[in-house]
């Protein structure tokens, strides 16, 4: 059984990943040269240069299961971000963000 503190970490990780992907998607609409922009789970898996599957990517973004650190690094880097970028987003997430995620995303 996953402890509450671990659930919060899993959720914050999913939120941070979603924010980065959302940033890529919004950049897609602002630029005409978007061929290299990673903006979907499929592209993340394909761009990871590993055996990362779409299902593994989906799991990391869902906030329901633990992801390994290696998976988080692969996803982050495949979207064109650094772990510093990830940590800045992660560190700025509030308890309110976690509650909102639980209400809006995990209840589906």
């Amino acid at each position: 059984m996953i402890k509450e503190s671990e659930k919060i970490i899993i959720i914050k990780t999913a939120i941070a990943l979603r924010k980065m992907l959302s940033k890529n998607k919004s950049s897609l609409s602002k630029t005409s040269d978007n061929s290299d922009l990673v903006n979907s789970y499929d592209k993340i898996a394909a761009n990871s240069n590993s055996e990362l599957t779409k299902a593994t990517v989906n799991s990391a973004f869902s906030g329901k299961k633990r992801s390994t650190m290696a998976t988080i690094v692969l996803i982050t880097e495949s979207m064109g971000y650094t772990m510093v970028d990830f940590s800045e987003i992660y560190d700025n997430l509030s308890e309110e963000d976690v509650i909102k995620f639980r209400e809006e995303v995990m209840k589906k």
Side-chain angles (χ1 to χ4, degrees):
M1 178 142 190
I2 300 174
K3 294 180 181 181
E4 182 62 20
S5 58
E6 246 183 294
K7 287 180 187 176
I8 292 169
I9 292 167
I10 293 166
I11 290 169
K12 286 176 73 173
T13 299
I15 295 168
L17 291 173
R18 285 170 178 242
K19 284 183 179 256
M20 291 187 298
L21 184 60
S22 178
K23 197 174 190 180
N24 278 4
K25 286 181 179 182
S26 68
S27 294
L28 181 65
S29 64
K30 295 176 185 172
T31 180
S32 59
D33 182 29
N34 53 31
S35 58
D36 293 334
L37 194 61
V38 177
N39 61 350
S40 70
Y41 295 170
D42 285 325
K43 287 183 179 181
I44 291 169
N47 198 45
S48 69
N49 296 323
S50 71
E51 294 181 20
L52 197 61
T53 65
K54 182 181 173 186
T56 302
V57 173
N58 187 33
S59 180
F61 279 80
S62 75
K64 295 180 181 175
K65 294 184 177 181
R66 290 183 192 122
S67 295
T68 67
M69 192 62 200
T71 298
I72 302 306
V73 172
L74 285 168
I75 291 171
T76 299
E77 290 180 350
S78 72
M79 287 192 287
Y81 293 98
T82 66
M83 289 309 292
V84 171
D85 299 324
F86 173 86
S87 66
E88 286 174 354
I89 295 168
Y90 184 97
D91 285 342
N92 287 313
L93 294 172
S94 66
E95 186 177 333
E96 189 174 298
D97 294 320
V98 173
I99 292 168
K100 185 177 178 183
F101 184 88
R102 279 186 163 156
E103 289 173 353
E104 294 178 5
V105 177
M106 297 187 82
K107 299 293 183 191
K108 292 181 182 180

